[in-house]
Amino acid sequence: MALSARRNVKRLLCFIQKNSLQKRLICNEKLPRTKDPLGSRVFSGIQPTGVPHLGNYLGALESWVSMQNEYSSVLYSIVDLHSITQPQDPQLLRDNILDMAASLLACGIDPTRSILFQQSVVSEHTELSWILGCLTSMPRLRHLPQWKMKSKQKSEGSVGLYTYPVLQAADILLYKSTHVPVGEDQIQHLELAQDLARIFNNKYGEFFPEPCALLSSTRKIKSLRDPTSKMSKSDSQKLATIFLTDTPEDIVFKIRRAVTDFTSEVTFDPEGRPGVANLVSLHAAVSGQTVEHVVSLARGLDTGKYKNLVAEAVVQRLEPIRLEIQRLREDRGHLKSVLVEGEAKARSLASPVMKEVRKLVGFS
């Protein structure tokens, strides 16, 4: 092939990839803002790896709550199968599942408006994952961020870690989900679900919808101790992360110790002043105001006094959630009954889908 022809092919591939991304973003821009009458279905999952932190709440859980009013069918799964790609203490995992259920309920997830369930109790997830895994190539999985990032940390990874995105795709497709809330770092995993829907449909006939990404509009909340990294449960620095169960005293102390710089004025400059910009983003997110507005509120304050303003806003937002988590944790029977009820509802959707998949594949 001539050099000019190869260049034209390369340009065409880039154009296709660019349009593919634009298509996903257009889908994201057309979010229904009222309850959807057309049968759209949202699916998302969260690992039971401890109580969520403020970044989890602002980046995902807050929008999960609002989606209960925007879509006619919403499923939220505590994805315990995914969590065991990392070593887990069995008793701690049991406790974490209930803690996560308590946290989601306290944040506003309503079992009468959505389906909240534990992933592992619906065996159809793993069955569909195996079928989809047989349609997935090893090179396709090898280039996904989950494997590249975590296998580097461990020098090598488990088979479960390697096939993690296939199970993720099965979680989504099992319910014929049309929309999936994701962060930008998970877009490639959602692309795998879209690809597998197409591959399955091409092989067995039109069956699975290709799910669209719902990208969060909330800025990522960064670590209070390292504003170049996102807030994380696994951060070794205890003052870096605000958890939903932190007391007001904990929150005030952590924010006062947040990394800023030697300029006293409060401005929003993520590149030049990441620490101060992180506080501004956090303040805007918890107060529901624009970045420009919270910067105007800080006019005349140095960063030390501004931290008090931010801490007050965070405490005001999180304290009712903390108290509700505390109340729910004391009623394990209620938490278990919510998950059992959610399991029944999830199974009622998953079972007929898998029955049809088995028939299409040739198992029955």
Side-chain angles (χ1 to χ4, degrees):
M1 184 184 290
L3 180 60
S4 60
R6 285 200 298 269
R7 283 176 179 163
N8 287 337
V9 169
K10 188 174 182 181
R11 288 193 192 102
L12 179 60
L13 289 172
C14 289
F15 176 78
I16 291 170
Q17 289 170 352
K18 183 178 179 183
N19 278 325
S20 174
L21 175 61
Q22 287 175 340
K23 183 180 178 183
R24 289 195 305 275
L25 294 177
I26 288 169
C27 177
N28 181 58
E29 288 167 359
K30 292 181 179 177
L31 298 184
R33 304 320 302 172
T34 57
K35 195 169 183 179
D36 177 23
L38 301 177
S40 294
R41 176 167 291 156
V42 173
F43 177 92
S44 195
I46 187 167
Q47 291 193 33
T49 51
V51 170
H53 56 67
L54 182 58
N56 298 142
Y57 174 68
L58 296 173
L61 303 185
E62 189 178 43
S63 62
W64 282 19
V65 173
S66 63
M67 285 175 193
Q68 295 176 122
N69 296 322
E70 297 165 3
Y71 291 88
S72 52
S73 180
V74 182
L75 295 96
Y76 297 131
S77 182
I78 299 173
V79 289
D80 48 345
L81 290 171
H82 289 296
S83 72
I84 64 169
T85 57
Q86 304 295 323
Q88 299 286 338
D89 174 82
Q91 186 53 54
L92 182 59
L93 179 57
R94 291 184 195 100
D95 292 340
N96 281 345
I97 289 166
L98 293 183
D99 271 355
M100 183 55 71
S103 299
L104 295 176
L105 294 173
C107 287
I109 299 303
D110 181 353
T112 66
R113 293 186 295 148
S114 59
I115 298 173
L116 175 61
F117 70 103
Q118 183 181 339
Q119 177 196 31
S120 64
V121 299
V122 181
S123 59
E124 287 87 351
H125 283 258
T126 51
E127 185 178 358
L128 182 57
S129 179
W130 175 258
I131 293 170
L132 296 179
C134 293
L135 301 175
T136 312
S137 71
M138 292 177 69
R140 181 74 172 85
L141 296 180
R142 199 177 296 129
H143 291 94
L144 291 172
Q146 179 77 18
W147 173 255
K148 286 199 291 187
M149 178 182 69
K150 293 195 174 178
S151 61
K152 276 182 185 176
Q153 293 170 355
K154 292 177 161 290
S155 298
E156 59 182 55
S158 68
V159 173
L161 183 64
Y162 190 72
T163 60
Y164 178 108
V166 180
L167 178 58
Q168 211 170 35
D171 296 337
I172 295 164
L173 298 182
L174 179 61
Y175 299 99
K176 292 192 167 183
S177 310
T178 57
H179 297 78
V180 183
V182 291
E184 290 180 7
D185 56 345
Q186 286 289 319
I187 280 290
Q188 285 182 272
H189 287 181
L190 182 60
E191 283 179 335
L192 177 65
Q194 294 169 334
D195 289 347
L196 285 171
R198 282 193 291 271
I199 291 167
F200 187 96
N201 293 345
N202 288 337
K203 188 173 179 65
Y204 298 111
E206 200 65 28
F207 186 71
F208 289 119
E210 291 181 31
C212 291
L214 300 179
L215 297 174
S216 171
S217 59
T218 304
R219 293 178 183 273
K220 276 192 172 65
I221 303 302
K222 305 291 187 176
S223 160
L224 297 179
R225 301 300 299 162
D226 177 9
T228 62
S229 302
K230 67 179 183 179
M231 189 172 282
S232 170
K233 293 178 188 176
S234 58
D235 199 311
S236 59
Q237 298 193 65
K238 292 183 179 180
L239 300 181
T241 305
I242 294 174
F243 291 93
L244 299 188
T245 49
D246 280 350
T247 65
E249 293 75 20
D250 292 332
I251 292 169
V252 169
F253 184 68
K254 288 179 179 181
I255 291 178
R256 281 180 180 168
R257 298 294 299 273
V259 169
T260 51
D261 53 37
F262 296 107
T263 303
S264 62
E265 183 185 5
V266 176
T267 60
F268 185 72
D269 179 6
E271 294 297 322
R273 306 184 68 197
V276 176
N278 188 38
L279 291 177
V280 170
S281 291
L282 197 162
H283 187 189
V286 297
S287 63
Q289 300 174 96
T290 65
V291 163
E292 292 75 17
H293 184 66
V294 297
V295 169
S296 72
L297 293 177
R299 194 171 292 124
L301 300 178
D302 60 27
T303 52
K305 289 180 181 176
Y306 180 61
K307 285 180 178 180
N308 293 334
L309 192 63
V310 175
E312 183 182 339
V314 173
V315 168
Q316 186 175 357
R317 187 62 174 274
L318 295 190
E319 184 62 2
I321 295 174
R322 181 185 76 86
L323 293 174
E324 183 63 4
I325 291 174
Q326 186 175 313
R327 185 188 72 80
L328 288 166
R329 275 174 156 176
E330 294 171 0
D331 192 351
R332 293 170 69 89
H334 172 66
L335 296 174
K336 289 177 180 178
S337 69
V338 167
L339 293 179
V340 167
E341 184 179 335
E343 173 194 347
K345 292 177 181 177
R347 277 187 184 280
S348 71
L349 296 175
S351 181
V353 171
M354 272 313 302
K355 184 177 181 181
E356 189 62 28
V357 168
R358 292 185 199 108
K359 190 183 299 181
L360 290 170
V361 172
F363 292 162
S364 62

